[in-house]
Structures are given as C-alpha cells and as structure tokens.
Amino acid sequence: PRIGDVIQKLAPFLKMYGEYVKNFDKAVELITVWSEKSPPFQELIADIQRRKVCANLTLQHHMLEPVQRIPRYELLLKEYVRKLPPESPDREDAEKALEMIFMVAKHSNAAIAEM
C-alpha cells in the first residue's frame, strides 16, 4: 500500500546511474571496436544475443535500459503522487521520494550534458 518510503531508501543509490551514463558512449564504442577487431568477441556477443533471454535485442539495447530507468521512475512517481488521495498515508513519503528522484534525474542529466 506504500512505496514512497521504499523509494526514499533506494534513491541515494540511484546516483550511480550518473557514472553509468557518463561512460555509456565509451562502453558502446569499446564494444564496437572490439567487435571489429576480434571475430571471436563478435561471435560471443552474437551468440549471447541469440539466446531467448535476450528477446532478440542487441547488447547495446540492453545497455541503454539503465539510462532510461531514472526517467521512468520519475514518471511513475509523478503519476502516483498525482493520483494519490490527499489524505493517503503515503502522500508525504511519495512526495519526498519524487523530490529525491527528481534530484537523481538532475544528476543524470548533468552527466549526460558532461558527455
């Protein structure tokens, strides 16, 4: 029945996504370079991507998911807070959690701008 308090506990750890975002282009470039340089590496990546668990998505696509996670949390919480009744016991925690996620998103956006 409550999620605001849970997200508040996790929000400080989400700042690490900023570091991930900062290094994202470099990581994709490394995968591209090594795929071109090393046929065994390219085959390994292709083999992994063919697995059912990968759902026919590329490694780069899977790598993009963490970049998209913070904006999704922010959208979820905005909608959640919007629909919460004013007297809800989770309102205060949810609003604080949204504020914290907003700051994490701001941190991630700064990392993107820094790239």
Short mmCIF file of all heavy atoms in Angstrom, two decimals, residues 17-58:
data_model
loop_
_atom_site.label_atom_id
_atom_site.label_comp_id
_atom_site.label_asym_id
_atom_site.label_seq_id
_atom_site.Cartn_x
_atom_site.Cartn_y
_atom_site.Cartn_z
N TYR A 17 23.85 5.87 -11.33
CA TYR A 17 23.47 5.86 -12.73
C TYR A 17 24.14 7.00 -13.49
O TYR A 17 24.38 6.89 -14.69
CB TYR A 17 21.95 5.95 -12.89
CG TYR A 17 21.27 4.63 -12.62
CD1 TYR A 17 20.74 4.34 -11.39
CD2 TYR A 17 21.17 3.68 -13.62
CE1 TYR A 17 20.11 3.13 -11.14
CE2 TYR A 17 20.55 2.47 -13.39
CZ TYR A 17 20.03 2.19 -12.15
OH TYR A 17 19.43 1.00 -11.91
N GLY A 18 24.45 8.08 -12.80
CA GLY A 18 25.17 9.19 -13.44
C GLY A 18 26.51 8.74 -13.97
O GLY A 18 26.91 9.10 -15.08
N GLU A 19 27.21 7.93 -13.19
CA GLU A 19 28.51 7.40 -13.65
C GLU A 19 28.33 6.46 -14.83
O GLU A 19 29.10 6.47 -15.77
CB GLU A 19 29.21 6.66 -12.50
CG GLU A 19 29.67 7.57 -11.39
CD GLU A 19 30.62 8.66 -11.87
OE1 GLU A 19 31.59 8.36 -12.59
OE2 GLU A 19 30.38 9.83 -11.52
N TYR A 20 27.28 5.66 -14.77
CA TYR A 20 26.99 4.75 -15.87
C TYR A 20 26.73 5.55 -17.15
O TYR A 20 27.27 5.25 -18.21
CB TYR A 20 25.78 3.88 -15.53
CG TYR A 20 25.44 2.86 -16.58
CD1 TYR A 20 26.04 1.60 -16.57
CD2 TYR A 20 24.54 3.14 -17.61
CE1 TYR A 20 25.74 0.66 -17.54
CE2 TYR A 20 24.24 2.21 -18.58
CZ TYR A 20 24.84 0.97 -18.54
OH TYR A 20 24.55 0.05 -19.51
N VAL A 21 25.92 6.58 -17.02
CA VAL A 21 25.56 7.42 -18.17
C VAL A 21 26.80 8.10 -18.74
O VAL A 21 26.98 8.17 -19.95
CB VAL A 21 24.49 8.46 -17.76
CG1 VAL A 21 24.31 9.52 -18.82
CG2 VAL A 21 23.17 7.76 -17.49
N LYS A 22 27.67 8.59 -17.85
CA LYS A 22 28.89 9.28 -18.29
C LYS A 22 29.76 8.38 -19.16
O LYS A 22 30.42 8.83 -20.08
CB LYS A 22 29.73 9.72 -17.09
CG LYS A 22 29.41 11.07 -16.56
CD LYS A 22 30.51 11.49 -15.61
CE LYS A 22 29.93 11.81 -14.26
NZ LYS A 22 30.92 12.23 -13.29
N ASN A 23 29.78 7.10 -18.81
CA ASN A 23 30.65 6.15 -19.52
C ASN A 23 29.95 5.36 -20.61
O ASN A 23 30.56 4.49 -21.23
CB ASN A 23 31.28 5.20 -18.50
CG ASN A 23 32.23 5.92 -17.59
OD1 ASN A 23 33.19 6.52 -18.04
ND2 ASN A 23 31.95 5.89 -16.30
N PHE A 24 28.68 5.65 -20.85
CA PHE A 24 27.90 4.85 -21.78
C PHE A 24 28.47 4.89 -23.20
O PHE A 24 28.68 3.84 -23.82
CB PHE A 24 26.44 5.33 -21.79
CG PHE A 24 25.57 4.55 -22.73
CD1 PHE A 24 25.10 3.30 -22.37
CD2 PHE A 24 25.24 5.04 -23.99
CE1 PHE A 24 24.31 2.56 -23.23
CE2 PHE A 24 24.45 4.31 -24.85
CZ PHE A 24 23.99 3.07 -24.48
N ASP A 25 28.72 6.08 -23.73
CA ASP A 25 29.25 6.19 -25.10
C ASP A 25 30.59 5.48 -25.25
O ASP A 25 30.83 4.81 -26.25
CB ASP A 25 29.39 7.66 -25.52
CG ASP A 25 28.05 8.30 -25.83
OD1 ASP A 25 27.06 7.56 -26.05
OD2 ASP A 25 27.98 9.54 -25.86
N LYS A 26 31.43 5.62 -24.24
CA LYS A 26 32.74 4.97 -24.26
C LYS A 26 32.57 3.44 -24.28
O LYS A 26 33.28 2.74 -25.01
CB LYS A 26 33.53 5.40 -23.03
CG LYS A 26 34.96 4.98 -23.02
CD LYS A 26 35.58 5.44 -21.70
CE LYS A 26 37.00 5.86 -21.89
NZ LYS A 26 37.60 6.31 -20.63
N ALA A 27 31.64 2.94 -23.50
CA ALA A 27 31.40 1.49 -23.45
C ALA A 27 30.88 0.97 -24.79
O ALA A 27 31.34 -0.07 -25.28
CB ALA A 27 30.40 1.15 -22.33
N VAL A 28 29.94 1.69 -25.39
CA VAL A 28 29.40 1.28 -26.69
C VAL A 28 30.51 1.31 -27.74
O VAL A 28 30.63 0.41 -28.57
CB VAL A 28 28.20 2.17 -27.10
CG1 VAL A 28 27.80 1.93 -28.54
CG2 VAL A 28 27.02 1.92 -26.17
N GLU A 29 31.34 2.34 -27.67
CA GLU A 29 32.46 2.45 -28.62
C GLU A 29 33.43 1.28 -28.45
O GLU A 29 33.88 0.70 -29.44
CB GLU A 29 33.18 3.78 -28.39
CG GLU A 29 34.32 4.01 -29.36
CD GLU A 29 35.06 5.31 -29.05
OE1 GLU A 29 34.43 6.27 -28.56
OE2 GLU A 29 36.28 5.35 -29.31
N LEU A 30 33.71 0.91 -27.21
CA LEU A 30 34.61 -0.22 -26.97
C LEU A 30 34.04 -1.52 -27.53
O LEU A 30 34.77 -2.33 -28.12
CB LEU A 30 34.87 -0.38 -25.47
CG LEU A 30 36.01 0.42 -24.89
CD1 LEU A 30 36.02 0.33 -23.37
CD2 LEU A 30 37.34 -0.03 -25.46
N ILE A 31 32.77 -1.72 -27.35
CA ILE A 31 32.13 -2.93 -27.88
C ILE A 31 32.23 -2.93 -29.41
O ILE A 31 32.54 -3.96 -30.01
CB ILE A 31 30.67 -3.05 -27.41
CG1 ILE A 31 30.67 -3.38 -25.92
CG2 ILE A 31 29.91 -4.10 -28.21
CD1 ILE A 31 29.31 -3.30 -25.28
N THR A 32 31.99 -1.79 -30.01
CA THR A 32 32.07 -1.69 -31.47
C THR A 32 33.50 -1.97 -31.95
O THR A 32 33.70 -2.75 -32.88
CB THR A 32 31.61 -0.28 -31.94
OG1 THR A 32 30.27 -0.08 -31.48
CG2 THR A 32 31.68 -0.16 -33.45
N VAL A 33 34.46 -1.34 -31.32
CA VAL A 33 35.87 -1.53 -31.70
C VAL A 33 36.27 -2.99 -31.57
O VAL A 33 36.86 -3.57 -32.49
CB VAL A 33 36.79 -0.62 -30.85
CG1 VAL A 33 38.24 -1.03 -30.98
CG2 VAL A 33 36.61 0.84 -31.25
N TRP A 34 35.95 -3.60 -30.43
CA TRP A 34 36.37 -4.99 -30.22
C TRP A 34 35.58 -5.97 -31.10
O TRP A 34 36.10 -7.02 -31.47
CB TRP A 34 36.30 -5.37 -28.75
CG TRP A 34 37.53 -4.86 -28.06
CD1 TRP A 34 37.63 -3.75 -27.29
CD2 TRP A 34 38.85 -5.40 -28.18
NE1 TRP A 34 38.93 -3.56 -26.90
CE2 TRP A 34 39.71 -4.57 -27.42
CE3 TRP A 34 39.38 -6.49 -28.84
CZ2 TRP A 34 41.07 -4.80 -27.31
CZ3 TRP A 34 40.75 -6.74 -28.73
CH2 TRP A 34 41.57 -5.90 -27.98
N SER A 35 34.37 -5.61 -31.44
CA SER A 35 33.61 -6.45 -32.38
C SER A 35 34.28 -6.44 -33.76
O SER A 35 34.31 -7.46 -34.45
CB SER A 35 32.17 -5.96 -32.50
OG SER A 35 31.49 -6.21 -31.30
N GLU A 36 34.81 -5.29 -34.14
CA GLU A 36 35.51 -5.17 -35.43
C GLU A 36 36.88 -5.82 -35.39
O GLU A 36 37.32 -6.45 -36.35
CB GLU A 36 35.64 -3.70 -35.83
CG GLU A 36 34.32 -3.06 -36.17
CD GLU A 36 34.39 -1.54 -36.33
OE1 GLU A 36 35.49 -0.96 -36.17
OE2 GLU A 36 33.33 -0.94 -36.59
N LYS A 37 37.58 -5.71 -34.27
CA LYS A 37 38.95 -6.22 -34.13
C LYS A 37 39.00 -7.73 -33.92
O LYS A 37 39.94 -8.39 -34.34
CB LYS A 37 39.64 -5.59 -32.91
CG LYS A 37 40.25 -4.27 -33.13
CD LYS A 37 41.00 -3.88 -31.85
CE LYS A 37 41.66 -2.54 -31.97
NZ LYS A 37 42.42 -2.20 -30.76
N SER A 38 38.00 -8.24 -33.23
CA SER A 38 38.08 -9.62 -32.77
C SER A 38 36.86 -10.44 -33.19
O SER A 38 35.81 -10.36 -32.55
CB SER A 38 38.22 -9.64 -31.24
OG SER A 38 38.12 -10.94 -30.74
N PRO A 39 37.01 -11.24 -34.25
CA PRO A 39 35.89 -12.10 -34.64
C PRO A 39 35.39 -13.01 -33.51
O PRO A 39 34.18 -13.20 -33.39
CB PRO A 39 36.44 -12.90 -35.82
CG PRO A 39 37.50 -12.00 -36.40
CD PRO A 39 38.11 -11.31 -35.20
N PRO A 40 36.28 -13.58 -32.66
CA PRO A 40 35.75 -14.39 -31.55
C PRO A 40 34.86 -13.57 -30.59
O PRO A 40 33.84 -14.07 -30.11
CB PRO A 40 37.00 -14.90 -30.83
CG PRO A 40 38.07 -14.88 -31.87
CD PRO A 40 37.75 -13.69 -32.73
N PHE A 41 35.25 -12.32 -30.34
CA PHE A 41 34.44 -11.45 -29.48
C PHE A 41 33.10 -11.18 -30.15
O PHE A 41 32.05 -11.27 -29.52
CB PHE A 41 35.18 -10.13 -29.19
CG PHE A 41 34.40 -9.19 -28.32
CD1 PHE A 41 34.31 -9.39 -26.95
CD2 PHE A 41 33.75 -8.09 -28.87
CE1 PHE A 41 33.59 -8.52 -26.14
CE2 PHE A 41 33.04 -7.21 -28.07
CZ PHE A 41 32.95 -7.43 -26.70
N GLN A 42 33.14 -10.88 -31.43
CA GLN A 42 31.92 -10.62 -32.19
C GLN A 42 31.00 -11.84 -32.16
O GLN A 42 29.79 -11.70 -31.97
CB GLN A 42 32.27 -10.25 -33.63
CG GLN A 42 31.08 -9.88 -34.47
CD GLN A 42 31.48 -9.52 -35.89
OE1 GLN A 42 32.54 -9.91 -36.38
NE2 GLN A 42 30.63 -8.77 -36.55
N GLU A 43 31.57 -13.01 -32.31
CA GLU A 43 30.77 -14.24 -32.29
C GLU A 43 30.17 -14.49 -30.91
O GLU A 43 29.03 -14.91 -30.79
CB GLU A 43 31.61 -15.43 -32.74
CG GLU A 43 30.84 -16.73 -32.83
CD GLU A 43 29.59 -16.66 -33.70
OE1 GLU A 43 29.61 -16.02 -34.77
OE2 GLU A 43 28.56 -17.26 -33.30
N LEU A 44 30.95 -14.22 -29.87
CA LEU A 44 30.45 -14.39 -28.50
C LEU A 44 29.24 -13.47 -28.26
O LEU A 44 28.21 -13.92 -27.74
CB LEU A 44 31.55 -14.07 -27.49
CG LEU A 44 31.13 -14.08 -26.02
CD1 LEU A 44 30.75 -15.49 -25.56
CD2 LEU A 44 32.22 -13.50 -25.15
N ILE A 45 29.37 -12.21 -28.64
CA ILE A 45 28.26 -11.26 -28.48
C ILE A 45 27.04 -11.74 -29.28
O ILE A 45 25.92 -11.75 -28.77
CB ILE A 45 28.67 -9.84 -28.91
CG1 ILE A 45 29.81 -9.30 -28.05
CG2 ILE A 45 27.48 -8.88 -28.90
CD1 ILE A 45 29.50 -9.14 -26.59
N ALA A 46 27.27 -12.16 -30.52
CA ALA A 46 26.17 -12.64 -31.36
C ALA A 46 25.50 -13.87 -30.74
O ALA A 46 24.27 -13.99 -30.74
CB ALA A 46 26.68 -12.95 -32.76
N ASP A 47 26.31 -14.77 -30.18
CA ASP A 47 25.78 -15.97 -29.54
C ASP A 47 24.90 -15.61 -28.34
O ASP A 47 23.80 -16.15 -28.17
CB ASP A 47 26.93 -16.88 -29.10
CG ASP A 47 26.43 -18.14 -28.42
OD1 ASP A 47 25.58 -18.84 -29.02
OD2 ASP A 47 26.89 -18.42 -27.29
N ILE A 48 25.36 -14.69 -27.54
CA ILE A 48 24.59 -14.26 -26.37
C ILE A 48 23.28 -13.60 -26.81
O ILE A 48 22.22 -13.87 -26.26
CB ILE A 48 25.43 -13.31 -25.49
CG1 ILE A 48 26.57 -14.10 -24.84
CG2 ILE A 48 24.56 -12.63 -24.43
CD1 ILE A 48 27.62 -13.24 -24.15
N GLN A 49 23.35 -12.75 -27.83
CA GLN A 49 22.17 -12.03 -28.30
C GLN A 49 21.12 -12.96 -28.91
O GLN A 49 19.93 -12.62 -28.92
CB GLN A 49 22.56 -10.96 -29.33
CG GLN A 49 23.33 -9.81 -28.71
CD GLN A 49 23.83 -8.79 -29.70
OE1 GLN A 49 24.11 -7.69 -29.32
NE2 GLN A 49 23.97 -9.12 -30.96
N ARG A 50 21.52 -14.12 -29.37
CA ARG A 50 20.57 -15.09 -29.94
C ARG A 50 19.79 -15.84 -28.87
O ARG A 50 18.79 -16.48 -29.17
CB ARG A 50 21.31 -16.09 -30.83
CG ARG A 50 21.69 -15.56 -32.19
CD ARG A 50 22.18 -16.67 -33.11
NE ARG A 50 23.46 -17.22 -32.70
CZ ARG A 50 24.65 -16.78 -33.11
NH1 ARG A 50 24.72 -15.79 -33.98
NH2 ARG A 50 25.76 -17.33 -32.70
N ARG A 51 20.23 -15.77 -27.65
CA ARG A 51 19.57 -16.50 -26.56
C ARG A 51 18.17 -15.95 -26.31
O ARG A 51 17.93 -14.76 -26.43
CB ARG A 51 20.41 -16.45 -25.29
CG ARG A 51 21.72 -17.16 -25.46
CD ARG A 51 22.56 -17.08 -24.23
NE ARG A 51 23.86 -17.69 -24.51
CZ ARG A 51 24.87 -17.66 -23.68
NH1 ARG A 51 24.75 -17.07 -22.50
NH2 ARG A 51 26.01 -18.21 -24.00
N LYS A 52 17.29 -16.84 -25.92
CA LYS A 52 15.90 -16.47 -25.69
C LYS A 52 15.77 -15.37 -24.64
O LYS A 52 14.96 -14.45 -24.78
CB LYS A 52 15.12 -17.72 -25.25
CG LYS A 52 13.65 -17.50 -25.14
CD LYS A 52 12.94 -18.80 -24.78
CE LYS A 52 11.44 -18.58 -24.73
NZ LYS A 52 10.72 -19.81 -24.44
N VAL A 53 16.60 -15.44 -23.61
CA VAL A 53 16.53 -14.46 -22.52
C VAL A 53 16.82 -13.04 -23.02
O VAL A 53 16.39 -12.06 -22.42
CB VAL A 53 17.49 -14.86 -21.37
CG1 VAL A 53 18.95 -14.65 -21.76
CG2 VAL A 53 17.15 -14.11 -20.10
N CYS A 54 17.51 -12.90 -24.14
CA CYS A 54 17.84 -11.58 -24.70
C CYS A 54 16.69 -11.00 -25.53
O CYS A 54 16.75 -9.83 -25.93
CB CYS A 54 19.11 -11.65 -25.54
SG CYS A 54 20.57 -11.90 -24.51
N ALA A 55 15.69 -11.79 -25.81
CA ALA A 55 14.49 -11.34 -26.52
C ALA A 55 14.81 -10.67 -27.86
O ALA A 55 14.20 -9.68 -28.23
CB ALA A 55 13.66 -10.42 -25.64
N ASN A 56 15.79 -11.21 -28.57
CA ASN A 56 16.20 -10.69 -29.88
C ASN A 56 16.65 -9.23 -29.84
O ASN A 56 16.53 -8.51 -30.82
CB ASN A 56 15.07 -10.85 -30.91
CG ASN A 56 14.78 -12.30 -31.20
OD1 ASN A 56 15.70 -13.12 -31.30
ND2 ASN A 56 13.52 -12.64 -31.30
N LEU A 57 17.15 -8.78 -28.70
CA LEU A 57 17.65 -7.41 -28.58
C LEU A 57 19.17 -7.42 -28.55
O LEU A 57 19.79 -8.37 -28.07
CB LEU A 57 17.10 -6.76 -27.31
CG LEU A 57 15.58 -6.65 -27.23
CD1 LEU A 57 15.17 -6.15 -25.86
CD2 LEU A 57 15.04 -5.76 -28.32
N THR A 58 19.76 -6.35 -29.03
CA THR A 58 21.21 -6.26 -29.05
C THR A 58 21.75 -5.93 -27.67
O THR A 58 21.02 -5.44 -26.80
CB THR A 58 21.69 -5.16 -30.02
OG1 THR A 58 21.26 -3.89 -29.52
CG2 THR A 58 21.16 -5.38 -31.43
#
